[in-house]
Amino acid sequence: MTPGNPKSTAHIATHPIHPMLIPFPIAFLVGTLLSDILFSQTGDAFWATASLYLLGAGIIMALAAALAGFADFFGDRRVRALSHAWQHMIGNLVAVLLSIFNLWIRLGDPESAILSIGLPISALVVLILLFTGWRGGDLVYRHRVGIPDEGPGAL
């Protein structure tokens, strides 16, 4: 067994990249849900357009965060041995795939898509993110993934 905490493979100095990136897709995807709700309540096309842009930005940033997350997941076998890591990864993959589908259905007519299925998909994605965020927190605070070891040379 390798001593110390599971390492973050994708890092700058000793700072893991994945946690630096994840606030962006979360903010964009939660913003998508909020603008979907505002569109459903007001009917103002501005909110449908805002949702479309927020969703696109959320997907792009989620893919960037996923690259760093995959590097960490596949870079240390101890991370792969954790059920929380699998739940975090699979849940986030489902959220990204749902978001891509959500964007695809909106491309032709964003307003109709929000009212038919876009809003429920956005809500489901946010619920999934709540779960995967909880599991991601477990990885850091419970399993100490990416936390420098104590002792000489630790920051």
Side-chain angles (χ1 to χ4, degrees), residues 48-104:
T49 302
S51 288
L52 193 65
Y53 283 104
L54 286 164
L55 189 53
I59 292 166
I60 290 167
M61 292 306 298
L63 293 174
L67 290 175
F70 283 142
D72 291 347
F73 184 81
F74 292 110
D76 190 325
R77 66 176 172 72
R78 295 173 296 170
V79 176
R80 289 189 307 278
L82 300 170
S83 65
H84 290 162
W86 284 93
Q87 293 167 8
H88 180 73
M89 180 191 64
I90 292 168
N92 283 329
L93 285 173
V94 170
V96 170
L97 291 173
L98 283 170
S99 295
I100 291 169
F101 175 70
N102 203 0
L103 180 66
W104 180 73

Side-chain angles (χ1 to χ4, degrees), residues 8 10 15-24 65 68-69 72 140 145-146:
S8 174
H15 301 288
I17 295 172
H18 182 67
M20 291 184 216
L21 294 175
I22 58 172
F24 296 100
D72 291 347
V140 173
V145 173

